[in-house]
């Protein structure tokens, strides 16, 4: 799998820029339920702290794993979890496997589920589109469900790569979704010398939308070497309905995930995407000559609100940003109102198979974010964060409000990030509702699940296991009965 994109990847490491000019568009809602008003200046140059890096390799496969690359790194309930592409001879069909390991911090040491070497947790399914290779993982957790987006291929034939989806209750044991079929394949707009196809996904969950960034060497807006990053979004994690594609004028509905690729947001391969609430911006991490470039986009992908930043150091293959479970940037524990940490893991050398290996950690902090300068910025910065309240309960920030939650475990399941102490700036957001243990829960066939808080509004949840953890057994209702409730916001993302 790596060899088929290597030629283009080496070229991409020496290029910077964008495949299409960006059109101005309407400002969308951002996390926190606010819009960025008044508009802020573009191309702001934020100062940075000193770069940092691990002292050595932080993770590698055992046994005969001669390459290790394409990491997806998640801060998940107090643990750093990482999935990446490698190969174990005994793991299944000959080809790429996805390995897993966890650690107390992103500097390691990373160990497998049993405390030993990293484990192969996802491999090819003979006879399916991913019969030989499963690689390039991007993992999210929404509620109690983990979503694995990955590149799959049945062999090494031209344009054989496509993107698949699997789900899991724990991030270790996976079940293929969409009937085991790919959720996205090459568009075949243009055929170039680079015949990699579609793959290298990166997913983010924001405001109820799943965003999926990916490579497609057949896309119309890719460069001559096949480099380019495209973007889809949908409320369906499998992208089976309601799909929108980022076009020159913004997001537009498309009838297929293989619709023509009209706009690329970064000239590169194997990039990673993250939402940064403290900056009210998306960031794309991609490789350039001196290391990893961080390129920023407004929420509607019309402008660059900040100038690109370089995380220097050696690299051989694309970065995995250290992200929250929902694909958002974690807060700075030292100064969440002015400092934004960016940490990533990337392969740094070529191994015995002439493929990337030696995963190491690199990072840099950006300063002067002014993330708490007004209530709208505070709402975006702390959206999805839960922290202890003054009443020995937990406060969860959603849509610019604090929801007080009786059970810590429920708050943690609903949150993207858990802090052991509430930052003072969170107190600027109003407490508008309380979720008490045993609160009423409802389920409608066309709407999903929701909890009824003490404000008598429906607050949607994405996973019925959250209701179970709150001792709230969902009561079946019709869509009309659901609509009869006053509507709150979503408690999950």
């Amino acid at each position: 799998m790596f060899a088929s994109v290597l030629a283009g990847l080496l070229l991409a490491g020496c290029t910077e820029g964008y495949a299409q000019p960006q059109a101005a568009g309407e400002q969308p809602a951002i996390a926190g339920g606010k819009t960025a008003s008044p508009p802020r200046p573009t191309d702001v140059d934020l100062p940075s702290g000193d770069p940092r890096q691990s002292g050595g390799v932080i993770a590698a496969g055992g046994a005969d794993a001669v390459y290790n690359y394409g990491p997806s790194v998640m801060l998940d309930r107090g643990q750093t979890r990482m999935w990446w592409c490698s190969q174990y001879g005994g793991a299944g069909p000959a080809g790429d496997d996805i390995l897993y390991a966890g650690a107390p911090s992103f500097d390691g040491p990373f160990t497998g589920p049993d405390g030993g070497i990293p484990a192969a947790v996802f491999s090819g399914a003979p006879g399916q589109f991913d019969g030989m290779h499963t690689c390039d993982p991007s993992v999210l957790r929404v509620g109690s469900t983990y979503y694995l987006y990955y590149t799959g291929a049945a062999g090494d034939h031209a344009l054989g790569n496509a993107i698949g989806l699997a789900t899991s209750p724990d991030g270790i044991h996976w079940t293929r979704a969409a009937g085991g079929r790919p959720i996205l394949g090459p568009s075949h707009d243009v055929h170039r010398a680079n015949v990699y196809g579609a793959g290298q996904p990166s997913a983010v969950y924001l405001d109820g939308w799943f965003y999926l960034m990916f490579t497609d060497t057949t896309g119309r807006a890719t460069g001559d070497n096949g480099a380019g990053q495209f973007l889809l979004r949908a409320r369906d994690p499998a992208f089976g309905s309601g799909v929108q594609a980022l076009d020159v004028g913004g997001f537009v509905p498309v009838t297929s995930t293989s619709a023509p690729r009209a706009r690329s947001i970064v000239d590169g391969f194997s990039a990673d995407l993250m939402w940064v609430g403290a900056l009210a911006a998306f960031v794309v991490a991609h490789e350039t000559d001196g290391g990893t470039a961080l390129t920023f986009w407004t929420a509607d992908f019309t402008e660059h609100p900040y100038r690109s930043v370089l995380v220097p150091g050696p690299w051989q293959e694309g970065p995995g940003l250290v992200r929250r479970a929902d694909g958002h940037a974690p807060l700075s524990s030292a100064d969440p109102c002015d400092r934004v940490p960016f940490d990533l893991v990337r392969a740094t050398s070529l191994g015995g198979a002439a493929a990337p290996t030696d995963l190491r950690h690199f990072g840099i902090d950006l300063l002067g974010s002014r993330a708490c300068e007004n209530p709208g910025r505070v709402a975006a910065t702390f959206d999805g964060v839960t922290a202890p309240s003054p009443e020995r309960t937990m406060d969860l920030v959603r849509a610019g409000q604090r929801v007080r939650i009786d059970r810590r475990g429920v708050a943690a399941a609903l949150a993207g990030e858990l802090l052991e102490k509430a930052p003072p700036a969170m107190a600027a957001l109003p407490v508008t509702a309380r979720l008490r243990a045993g609160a009423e829960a409802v389920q409608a066939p066309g709407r999903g699940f929701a909890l009824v808080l003490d404000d008598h509004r429906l607050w949607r949840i994405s996973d019925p296991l959250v209701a179970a953890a709150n001792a709230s057994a969902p009561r079946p209702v019709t869509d009309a009965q659901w609509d009869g409730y006053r509507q709150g916001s979503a408690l999950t993302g």
Side-chain angles (χ1 to χ4, degrees), residues 34 56 78 100 102 127 139 164-165 177 232 252 254 262 273 283 292 370 432 448 483:
K34 305 292 182 181
Y100 166 79
V139 184
L165 172 65
L232 301 179
V252 297
V254 292
L273 181 69
V283 64
T292 301
R370 301 166 63 187
T432 60
D483 292 339

Side-chain angles (χ1 to χ4, degrees), residues 54 75 104 135 170 197 205 291 293 295 349 356 379:
S54 57
L75 299 181
C135 192
D170 56 13
Y205 185 70
T295 296
S349 66

Side-chain angles (χ1 to χ4, degrees), residues 464-487:
L465 293 179
V466 173
N470 197 58
S472 301
R475 176 173 59 87
V477 298
T478 65
D479 287 353
Q481 289 172 319
W482 177 290
D483 292 339
Y485 284 91
R486 293 171 54 228
Q487 299 296 309

Side-chain angles (χ1 to χ4, degrees), residues 145-314:
T145 301
Y146 291 82
Y147 297 92
L148 165 64
Y149 297 87
Y150 66 96
T151 307
D156 295 323
H157 56 280
L159 304 179
N161 292 332
I163 293 174
L165 172 65
T167 63
S168 171
D170 56 13
I172 298 172
H173 304 91
W174 296 96
T175 300
R176 283 169 168 79
R181 297 181 297 275
I183 63 170
L184 184 152
S187 63
H188 297 288
D189 298 341
V190 182
H191 287 170
R192 299 178 171 85
N194 187 336
V195 294
Y196 174 81
Q200 300 181 327
S202 177
V204 169
Y205 185 70
L206 174 66
D207 288 339
W209 292 90
F210 290 85
Y211 288 77
L212 186 64
M213 187 180 73
F214 56 94
T215 299
D216 184 352
T217 60
T218 72
R220 189 171 73 208
T222 56
D224 290 342
N225 62 354
Q229 293 296 307
F230 300 95
L231 193 65
L232 301 179
R233 71 177 185 181
R235 297 191 183 278
D236 172 13
F239 288 80
S241 62
V243 179
Q244 298 181 1
L246 185 63
D247 207 325
V248 174
F251 283 99
V252 297
V254 292
T255 58
S256 167
T257 57
S258 297
R261 318 284 189 212
R263 180 179 165 198
S264 168
I265 57 173
V266 161
D267 179 14
F269 297 96
S270 190
D272 205 8
L273 181 69
M274 183 169 69
W275 170 255
V276 189
L279 299 177
F282 283 99
V283 64
V284 181
H286 56 107
E287 300 302 355
T288 56
D289 262 349
T292 301
L294 303 177
T295 296
F296 298 93
W297 286 103
T298 51
D300 58 357
F301 290 90
T302 59
E303 295 179 305
H304 299 294
Y306 305 97
R307 292 182 182 174
S308 292
V309 176
L310 183 71
V311 183

Side-chain angles (χ1 to χ4, degrees), residues 30-34 141-143 205-208 275 324-326 328 378-380 382-386 395-405 410-417 426 429-433 453 457 459-462 488-493:
I30 60 175
K34 305 292 182 181
R141 176 176 57 79
V142 179
Y205 185 70
L206 174 66
D207 288 339
W275 170 255
R324 296 183 347 189
D326 50 9
H328 296 206
V378 172
F382 294 101
D383 188 70
V385 171
T386 189
D395 281 349
L396 172 69
V397 177
R398 288 296 185 198
Q401 310 163 76
R402 282 184 290 161
V403 176
R404 196 144 284 173
I405 300 176
V410 172
L414 292 168
E417 185 169 0
M426 276 182 60
L429 302 175
V431 177
T432 60
L453 274 57
R457 291 189 292 169
W459 292 70
R460 298 182 303 281
I461 57 176
S462 61
S489 298
L491 284 174
T492 309

